Amino acid sequence: MAVDSSNADESEHERLPETVVEDLLDDPRRRAMLRLLGTHDGSIRMTQLAARVIADERSIPIDAVSLEERRRVCDTLYECHLPKLTATTVIRYNSRQASVELDEKATQLLDRL
């Protein structure tokens, strides 16, 4: 059976470069976001994701996370982490619903967590 090399080349182009993958996984909060999204089916609102990230970081229940903490972490997610993850098509952001979900290249990172 013949192998179509153009498909192999195409799939290699679709993969993120190793340096980008390492950069994306370098931050513990981005890793937490990806882990949480990997266990969640579909999209999740940013405020819920922020609360889960804090709860995960501190090993506390989600309902113990204050509204102020949620806002502060949500701002950090918007400003620092979301731009990198959406630009690399790892996460898809829906601005109308203020929600995120995994995108086409997420599996490349999830496999490394």
Side-chain angles (χ1 to χ4, degrees):
M1 180 198 291
V3 176
D4 184 0
S5 64
S6 64
N7 285 343
D9 291 341
E10 187 176 324
S11 66
E12 191 60 34
H13 274 330
E14 293 174 6
R15 295 187 59 78
L16 292 171
E18 185 61 26
T19 55
V20 173
V21 171
E22 289 173 1
D23 180 52
L24 292 174
L25 293 176
D26 187 47
D27 188 275
R29 195 160 272 171
R30 274 196 297 275
R31 288 193 307 271
M33 288 175 66
L34 291 168
R35 264 194 304 275
L36 291 166
L37 285 168
T39 61
H40 191 271
D41 204 20
S43 65
I44 184 171
R45 295 188 54 99
M46 287 294 291
T47 53
Q48 292 172 326
L49 182 61
R52 289 182 181 194
V53 165
I54 296 166
D56 186 51
E57 287 175 350
R58 297 185 185 160
S59 299
I60 59 173
I62 291 175
D63 57 354
V65 178
S66 74
L67 184 58
E68 181 58 34
E69 289 173 311
R70 289 175 196 229
R71 285 185 188 142
R72 194 171 41 244
V73 170
C74 206
D75 287 346
T76 302
L77 298 181
Y78 276 117
E79 293 170 10
C80 301
H81 305 296
L82 196 58
K84 280 189 172 192
L85 293 167
T86 56
T88 54
T89 63
V90 171
I91 287 179
R92 184 178 311 128
Y93 174 65
N94 181 327
S95 60
R96 296 171 90 190
Q97 296 178 354
S99 64
V100 292
E101 63 184 320
L102 295 177
D103 205 349
E104 62 188 56
K105 295 192 178 150
T107 55
Q108 191 177 350
L109 276 70
L110 293 175
D111 292 342
R112 306 263 306 261
L113 293 176

